Amino acid sequence: MTAAAPAVAVDAGSRYLRVARADGDGPPYLVDLPGTVPGEGLPTPDRVRGDRAAALAAACAAYRAHCGPPGRLVAVVPHGEHPPPAAETGEPPPQLLGVPHAVLALLRHAGTPPLSPVLVCDLGGTGVSLARCLLTGGTWAVSGPPRHAPLPGGYGAAFDRAVLDGAGLTADDPEVLRLLALARAESGRRTEVALDRMVARPDRAERLADTVVHEVAGREITAGVVHRAFARLTEALDRVLADAGPDRTPVVAVGGAARSATLVRHLADRLGLPVPLPDGTDPALAPVFGAALVAAGRVDAADRYPHAVAVRVHRTVGGLPRDEELVISPPGTLAPGGATVFAETGGERVRLGAAPAEGGTGREVQLLVRGAGTRGGVSATAVTVSAAAGDRFHVGVRVTTDGTAHLVLHPLAPEAPAPHRHGAEPAAQEIPLGALPADPAP
């Protein structure tokens, strides 16, 4: 009997390609691919840096070459980012999972009591974001301000660039970045102590600036260099926190920059002490470890859309016109990459007809989203449906793996086909709706 191929999670970042598995009942772990930096992952090749889809394809190619094809693939993406799936990742196609859902899956698997609402602060290599997560009906509704990505190079990359520039080294050399990661891992405690002293006692910062904290490629990195680079991290974080307001909601800090105890204390001063990660998990690896548990089927992603999706329809009752809301998808039904959900009643799909439209064949349709505990839906978007008077169809909704919702109109074959049709049925019509609202406040 041939063993089933393992499930794999990939976090294709701008600096490292992290591939993780969660075999059996054991904890998640990074797959040791040729060229992997211990505790970091495989350095991202220059040719795919900045292109998440191409980086995902490169990570999958490296894994296949060393371990064979995976049985299931889950790819981590930053909150609010929905890159097109890579065309050459091989089978199976990747399921995209946002950082907040991946991190919350890791916490739920560890038995951490669910906090709602909770913030997930992603201090990654390319940008920083603060996502607000609300548990609704067993799934997580995630919303938040846009991701802030400082240029050039991004968030964590800007810190590395400032450190290396201060030491007279280039930040564009993958070997130098690898040596920096190794030196940082070996002298992390010494660096944090020096940085803490400089932050806590600005009057003594100048005296501590010449303290050597580690060495990279024969160059000394001083506490003063690290202290000046640290401002790159706090400035971007403060900008995101300002957009979020003065809320002291519980927060989970993840990403490579969340390894800095000094930066986490900066975050705690504004939002309170962060929620601890299980078993001392490296914050840079928390998203890919959570995704590995989802890929292995050991915890649900809880990323189904938690609200009901409806469409406004017109009916004539007793000779009088009346507007109604037809629920297409009940709460917690739509899953990214899942099947189309059609409006049903009594186990049968609802048949809708197109009324005559003024000035052409297009008819505007209002899509509604109904939050839990609300009587009526909130208008999410309006789309134009190309349907002639008398056309009948089933109406449904699906969400692609990149988080885009589509309104699906499946036409019904006429009762008496015209001779020129030759039995052919018209194709289903799909209308992109964009991302459904996470918090449909009235």
Side-chain angles (χ1 to χ4, degrees):
M1 180 181 296
T2 303
V8 171
V10 176
D11 185 356
S14 62
R15 293 188 291 175
Y16 294 101
L17 307 176
R18 296 182 171 112
V19 183
R21 285 175 22 188
D23 301 337
D25 295 329
Y29 65 95
L30 281 182
V31 178
D32 187 13
L33 301 174
T36 292
V37 177
E40 291 287 5
L42 193 65
T44 302
D46 290 340
R47 68 180 185 278
V48 299
R49 191 169 295 166
D51 185 341
R52 197 170 298 278
L56 174 61
C60 292
Y63 178 84
R64 280 201 310 272
H66 191 63
C67 306
R72 184 184 179 193
L73 179 61
V74 175
V76 179
V77 294
H79 169 56
E81 182 178 316
H82 301 292
E88 299 179 359
T89 56
E91 295 295 333
Q95 171 192 350
L96 301 185
L97 188 64
V99 167
H101 285 106
V103 172
L104 293 171
L106 177 69
L107 293 174
R108 294 199 322 279
H109 180 266
T112 303
L115 300 170
S116 180
V118 63
L119 303 175
V120 175
C121 186
D122 181 14
L123 304 165
T126 56
V128 53
S129 66
L130 192 68
R132 182 180 178 85
C133 308
L134 184 68
L135 188 61
T136 304
T139 64
W140 289 98
V142 179
S143 60
R147 185 175 179 83
H148 178 60
L151 294 174
Y155 182 63
F159 176 70
D160 286 351
R161 182 177 296 275
V163 169
L164 295 175
D165 285 348
L169 296 168
T170 175
D172 298 323
D173 186 342
E175 177 62 15
V176 171
L177 289 172
R178 187 185 73 85
L179 293 174
L180 176 62
L182 292 173
R184 188 174 286 157
E186 293 174 356
S187 60
R189 179 58 182 166
R190 186 189 317 142
T191 303
E192 289 295 336
V193 169
L195 191 57
D196 279 347
R197 288 176 178 173
M198 297 183 75
V199 171
R201 294 292 303 274
D203 57 315
R204 300 183 60 188
E206 188 174 345
R207 293 170 54 188
L208 298 168
D210 292 334
T211 303
V212 176
V213 292
H214 51 247
E215 184 178 296
V216 176
R219 300 291 184 90
E220 293 180 341
I221 307 293
T222 65
V225 167
V226 177
H227 182 259
R228 288 189 291 273
F230 183 69
R232 303 286 185 93
L233 300 180
T234 55
E235 288 170 3
L237 177 57
D238 287 343
R239 181 176 300 184
V240 171
L241 293 175
D243 292 339
D247 192 355
R248 290 184 70 85
T249 303
V251 62
V252 186
V254 297
R259 290 168 169 163
S260 169
T262 308
L263 184 63
V264 171
R265 278 191 287 274
H266 184 85
L267 177 66
D269 289 342
R270 288 147 180 81
L271 294 177
L273 289 175
V275 177
L277 293 171
D279 301 323
T281 301
D282 185 334
L285 306 182
V288 76
F289 281 177
L293 292 167
V294 170
R298 291 167 57 182
V299 63
D300 186 76
D303 59 346
R304 294 176 180 84
Y305 191 62
H307 309 300
V309 178
V311 65
R312 182 167 288 139
V313 296
H314 305 277
R315 294 183 58 193
T316 300
V317 180
L320 297 176
R322 185 169 72 186
D323 287 346
E324 293 183 354
E325 293 182 12
L326 173 67
V327 174
I328 303 175
S329 169
T333 304
L334 286 173
T340 301
V341 179
F342 287 94
E344 294 186 352
T345 180
E348 297 290 336
R349 290 184 183 178
V350 176
R351 298 185 175 206
L352 295 181
E358 298 178 2
T361 59
R363 165 67 65 181
E364 184 178 90
V365 175
Q366 287 283 338
L367 194 80
L368 310 171
V369 174
R370 184 186 300 169
T374 60
R375 294 183 178 181
V378 176
S379 179
T381 186
V383 296
T384 300
V385 173
S386 299
D391 286 353
R392 298 181 67 80
F393 42 80
H394 295 140
V395 59
V397 177
R398 74 180 182 94
V399 178
T400 61
T401 55
D402 66 358
T404 303
H406 291 250
L407 182 67
V408 180
L409 303 177
H410 191 279
L412 303 177
E415 296 180 1
H420 68 274
R421 289 182 182 268
H422 301 292
E425 294 186 6
Q429 182 182 167
E430 292 204 15
I431 305 171
L433 304 172
L436 295 173
D439 187 12

